[in-house]
Amino acid sequence: MALKAGDPAPDFALEDQHGKTVKLSDFRGKKVVLYFFPRADTPGCTTQACSLRDSREAIDTGGATVIGISPDKPTAQAKFDDKYGLGFPLLSDPDHAVADAYGAWGERSMYGKKYMGIIRSAFVIDEQGAIVESFYKVSPKDTVPKALAALD
């Protein structure tokens, strides 16, 4: 099920790269740029994450914080964060329950083979926890421009 503007953002409680449980409700009163990525430290995911890191000032100016979610284990997330100095929560969703709730888990194909996996997606969530904008099948390079436009 795809989420759209005005829908409540599904709450979650997931472990971050430091072993801390992070809940969406912890960010009430602040906007959130939430993005789902397939796998830490792969080319597209690195491009996307580093773009978000490099745009931190503009995202902060928009009153938002960044959270990334993938099926990776917290140890893989920690290595990814350390390697690129990302500095924002990377959450582990190994059973893809949160990705499912956001409509970011589904059928994908690569080289003609179909499989289930993360559909690269991004969401801007307002201070009350409602979806402002959703971007499904977003390109790694388009995540920041689209998120910043939604924050304006």
Side-chain angles (χ1 to χ4, degrees):
M1 177 182 88
L3 297 174
K4 60 188 182 317
D7 286 344
D11 204 2
F12 55 78
L14 295 172
E15 188 177 351
D16 74 3
Q17 70 267 41
H18 307 294
K20 177 184 168 202
T21 299
V22 175
K23 297 184 282 189
L24 180 61
S25 59
D26 294 339
F27 296 91
R28 289 292 187 268
K30 187 169 181 101
K31 296 175 191 169
V32 174
V33 175
L34 177 68
Y35 78 104
F36 289 84
F37 61 101
R39 189 166 171 210
D41 207 10
T42 56
C45 297
T46 300
T47 297
Q48 186 177 36
C50 290
S51 177
L52 287 156
R53 174 202 64 200
D54 296 345
S55 301
R56 168 151 293 147
E57 187 175 323
I59 293 168
D60 287 348
T61 299
T65 192
V66 174
I67 301 172
I69 299 178
S70 81
D72 294 300
K73 293 180 180 175
T75 52
Q77 303 281 33
K79 287 178 187 173
F80 187 41
D81 182 27
D82 291 344
K83 184 173 181 179
Y84 295 102
L86 300 175
F88 51 80
L90 297 173
L91 309 184
S92 176
D93 185 23
D95 63 359
H96 58 81
V98 176
D100 263 335
Y102 278 82
W105 180 264
E107 187 173 85
R108 301 190 51 199
S109 71
M110 185 181 296
Y111 308 116
K113 181 183 174 195
K114 294 188 184 297
Y115 63 96
M116 297 299 285
I118 291 288
I119 298 165
R120 190 183 306 276
S121 306
F123 303 86
V124 174
I125 301 167
D126 71 14
E127 299 88 342
Q128 290 76 42
I131 302 289
V132 172
E133 196 70 59
S134 56
F135 308 102
Y136 291 97
K137 297 183 179 178
V138 67
S139 155
K141 64 181 178 45
D142 290 340
T143 303
V144 168
K146 289 182 177 216
L148 290 176
L151 288 170
D152 281 345

